Amino acid sequence: FAEYSSEIEARIAELETMAKADDDGLHPYWKNGMRADSANSKFNFKFIGRVYNDYTFWGTDRDTEAVVGDELNTGTEFRAARLYFAGTIHGNVTFKAQFDFAGGDADFKDVWIGFPGTPIGDIKVGHHKAPMGFEQNTSSRFISTMERGLHNALVPGRETGLSVGNQFCTDGWLDLGVFLDANDFGNKASMDRSSE
């Protein structure tokens, strides 16, 4: 068995070397989702999703129902059901297309194209988070509570527009943007021609 094992290992190593020799080919793998990269790192793509599903279980008695009625119902709700495809093309164009299916339709979350490393900074155009507020711009995967704080109702979330980000020192980042108040499909109400 030892000779077969070493022969198989040598063949696997040879196949891996041959696969990586093609700079333009994509090499799929799994790392927190489906990904594919080119050997020269000019192309990389990822297809990832996440689900937040809330459940509520109530146990009531006659005293509780006398005070609040019988409105306390056990239930469940998808707070988020997201899929997204993102990546880099030719090493100098980035993109992301993220949709949320919670609520029964496909709402835009992030649908943008970016140009990193330009002389004025990283440019992003499309439907994305307006650069306002630390908690608002932190992914829901990394906030410390289940929901964002109440003050987030006062800052814009995702809007359609253009932003420029520039790291001006090792500890700081400056983002500026111009946005239109858009709906869940990335449209400004006065420009929504779907009713015509």
Side-chain angles (χ1 to χ4, degrees), residues 65-131:
E65 290 178 3
V67 175
V68 298
D70 61 355
E71 298 298 316
L72 297 177
N73 297 317
T74 298
T76 182
E77 175 185 46
F78 282 94
R79 189 161 30 103
R82 298 183 187 172
L83 290 174
Y84 80 83
F85 181 59
T88 304
I89 302 170
H90 285 292
N92 55 15
V93 177
T94 57
F95 70 92
K96 184 174 183 182
Q98 177 178 235
F99 303 93
D100 191 352
F101 298 93
D105 57 4
D107 295 338
F108 279 25
K109 285 301 176 186
D110 290 305
V111 180
W112 54 263
I113 187 167
F115 306 94
T118 70
I120 61 171
D122 298 343
I123 299 173
K124 192 184 290 185
V125 181
H127 192 72
H128 60 285
K129 289 183 178 181

Side-chain angles (χ1 to χ4, degrees), residues 4-189:
Y4 292 116
S5 176
S6 61
E7 184 180 333
I8 290 171
E9 287 175 8
R11 182 65 180 141
I12 289 172
E14 182 184 346
L15 288 171
E16 287 176 347
T17 303
M18 288 171 52
K20 291 180 180 176
D22 180 10
D23 285 349
D24 295 328
L26 291 175
H27 310 288
Y29 62 98
W30 181 270
K31 182 180 178 186
N32 297 326
M34 293 185 296
R35 297 174 187 256
D37 296 339
S38 65
N40 61 9
S41 299
K42 288 189 176 182
F43 296 88
N44 57 56
F45 304 101
K46 59 184 172 181
F47 184 72
I48 300 177
R50 67 177 177 253
V51 173
Y52 298 156
N53 191 205
D54 298 335
Y55 294 89
T56 304
F57 300 97
W58 295 99
T60 61
D61 56 20
R62 278 184 238 149
D63 294 335
T64 306
E65 290 178 3
V67 175
V68 298
D70 61 355
E71 298 298 316
L72 297 177
N73 297 317
T74 298
T76 182
E77 175 185 46
F78 282 94
R79 189 161 30 103
R82 298 183 187 172
L83 290 174
Y84 80 83
F85 181 59
T88 304
I89 302 170
H90 285 292
N92 55 15
V93 177
T94 57
F95 70 92
K96 184 174 183 182
Q98 177 178 235
F99 303 93
D100 191 352
F101 298 93
D105 57 4
D107 295 338
F108 279 25
K109 285 301 176 186
D110 290 305
V111 180
W112 54 263
I113 187 167
F115 306 94
T118 70
I120 61 171
D122 298 343
I123 299 173
K124 192 184 290 185
V125 181
H127 192 72
H128 60 285
K129 289 183 178 181
M132 182 178 261
F134 179 74
E135 187 180 33
Q136 185 64 248
N137 280 279
T138 301
S139 171
S140 60
R141 295 177 298 149
F142 305 115
I143 59 176
S144 56
T145 57
M146 192 166 132
E147 295 287 343
R148 298 182 194 280
L150 182 60
H151 63 278
N152 284 284
L154 304 174
V155 296
R158 288 177 171 92
E159 305 291 351
T160 299
L162 177 140
S163 66
V164 178
N166 202 340
Q167 188 169 0
F168 57 89
C169 65
T170 57
D171 296 325
W173 191 273
L174 175 66
D175 270 343
L176 301 170
V178 177
F179 293 87
L180 295 172
D181 184 20
N183 62 18
D184 289 340
F185 301 103
N187 299 326
K188 169 106 172 100

